[in-house]
Amino acid sequence: MSYKLFIPGPIAVSEKTLRAMAQPMIGHRSTDFVALYQGLQPGLQELMYTQDPVYLSTSSAWGVMEGSLHNVVAKKVLNCMNGAFSDKWNDVALRDGKQATALKFEWGQPIDPEAVRKELATGAYDAITIIHNETSCGCMSDLPALMKVLREFPDVISIIDSVSSLSAMPIKKDELGIDVLISGSQKALAMPPGLSFLSVSKRALDRAAKVANRGYYFDYLEFQKNHEAGMTPSTPVIPLFYALKSKLEDIKAEGLEARYARHARLNQAVRDFIFSKGFKLFPKEGYGSVTLNCFANTVGIDVAAWNKILKSKHKLVIDGGYGKLKGKTFRISNMGDETDETIAALIKSLDSALAETPKAA
Ligand SMILES: *Cc1c(COP(=O)(O)O)cnc(C)c1O
């Protein structure tokens, strides 16, 4: 069974990237590995607009999302919530036994910088979590506006999730003053799952040095110590390092600006087509994601039936809505390696399958 993924993660992985992984294993303490690891740094730092190291963690993004709480939260964390992933981050903080406050917005509404300022002004917090692009509902918050507020609170370490946005638009870590920037492999970077990235500021490292019970696997200080030797704390997922090397070469060849423009263009093409069929965007106007579109099922079609036709006749799948939004929304990814041609073909399939799709019961 072979079909193409247009769900917002994991997404389709190119033949080139898949082939890049099929290489002999090397020892993770060998000079070959050190060369591989160090060779990845400039490309990763360019993607994150940072001078800080970018650590590589063999885990999905949740590993470093949870692990970061262990490293920087001594007092209390403010969890900004506007969708499934950001809601869960609060749950994870509480499971970790951290003091945590939920700053809630409706799913699809962006995180309001003024509400963040008001809460941080209480002085109760030493860390904050923000998801830049809430994949569950296709809502992209205004990161520069949020970081402008956070820079007023230098004792609050910012942990920013860019899992489904990094490389699709500029996220200028150092310029914005982001302390911890997190991403993952299987979303906007179009790699298989299993590798995550985190770049940690000096300020966040200093904080970690003073926080007890950081554990081992996600300890920033272990990452830093090993980074200085061109290595990872434990045996990493080496095939994905090869995939990353290949992917960073692709990104360099395309050029960042061209990559950003491509994402914006393809995102708009999908949006224009779906709008022409009478649907509306689910997130608040002006805050739609650039890597996926989450549409409200305002026409009342049977989304599951549509997706079934797409899969059986057109060999592709979209997403039928996340969690409580199942059937009420649908999501279509345009992140990664999509081109004008692949998106045009997608739109043709969507159109053809939609003509056969019944209304929801
Ligand atoms: C997918 C996703 C995650 C979780 O990633 P895993 O790789 O499943 O751990 C976190 N945040 C966002 C915004 C995501 O889209």
Side-chain angles (χ1 to χ4, degrees), residues 8 60-63 65 85 131 133-135 161 163-164 186-187:
S60 81
W62 271 115
M65 289 164 74
F85 291 105
I131 292 191
N133 192 51
E134 240 304 350
T135 320
D161 166 324
V163 172
S164 61
Q186 82 276 24
K187 303 263 173 90

Side-chain angles (χ1 to χ4, degrees), residues 16-137:
K16 174 177 182 278
T17 303
L18 288 174
R19 268 200 304 269
M21 294 194 293
Q23 292 188 53
M25 277 310 102
I26 52 175
H28 68 298
R29 302 298 180 217
S30 69
T31 53
D32 292 329
F33 181 82
V34 171
L36 176 62
Y37 180 97
Q38 291 178 338
L40 297 170
Q41 286 298 314
L44 288 169
Q45 288 173 315
E46 221 171 286
L47 268 189
M48 291 190 164
Y49 296 81
T50 188
Q51 303 289 320
D52 295 323
V54 181
Y55 308 140
L56 292 155
S57 170
T58 295
S59 64
S60 81
W62 271 115
V64 290
M65 289 164 74
E66 175 169 355
S68 290
L69 300 171
H70 301 170
N71 278 275
V72 304
V73 183
K75 202 158 72 174
K76 193 173 191 181
V77 61
L78 182 64
N79 301 122
C80 301
M81 297 152 64
N82 64 338
F85 291 105
S86 46
D87 284 5
K88 188 165 166 178
W89 219 345
N90 178 245
D91 176 45
V92 169
L94 295 171
R95 290 189 200 200
D96 280 343
K98 297 293 184 187
Q99 294 288 317
T101 296
L103 184 62
K104 291 186 191 173
F105 304 92
E106 290 291 318
W107 282 29
Q109 296 297 307
I111 297 157
D112 173 18
E114 278 315 307
V116 170
R117 174 184 279 122
K118 196 163 155 236
E119 193 58 37
L120 291 182
T122 63
Y125 303 97
D126 60 359
I128 184 170
T129 65
I130 291 175
I131 292 191
H132 173 222
N133 192 51
E134 240 304 350
T135 320
S136 61
C137 53

Side-chain angles (χ1 to χ4, degrees), residues 327-348:
K328 297 190 182 106
T329 63
F330 54 93
R331 300 179 301 162
I332 304 173
S333 166
N334 60 272
M335 62 182 96
D337 301 329
E338 299 309 328
T339 63
D340 293 283
E341 292 71 34
T342 63
I343 291 294
L346 165 70
I347 287 171
K348 211 166 152 223

Side-chain angles (χ1 to χ4, degrees), residues 168-235:
M169 62 185 291
I171 300 176
K172 301 192 173 179
K173 174 172 170 282
D174 291 357
E175 190 181 311
L176 294 177
I178 296 170
D179 287 298
V180 180
L181 186 60
I182 289 172
S183 202
S185 55
Q186 82 276 24
K187 303 263 173 90
L189 285 168
M191 291 163 52
L195 184 63
S196 57
F197 314 95
L198 83 163
S199 181
V200 174
S201 70
K202 170 81 169 55
R203 211 155 61 118
L205 268 182
D206 290 346
R207 167 70 62 79
K210 287 184 260 162
V211 174
N213 301 321
R214 297 186 306 275
Y216 164 70
Y217 196 73
F218 298 113
D219 180 8
Y220 287 177
L221 275 61
E222 284 288 340
F223 275 120
Q224 177 59 28
K225 188 178 82 191
N226 281 278
H227 170 82
E228 285 164 17
M231 296 179 198
T232 52
S234 57
T235 319

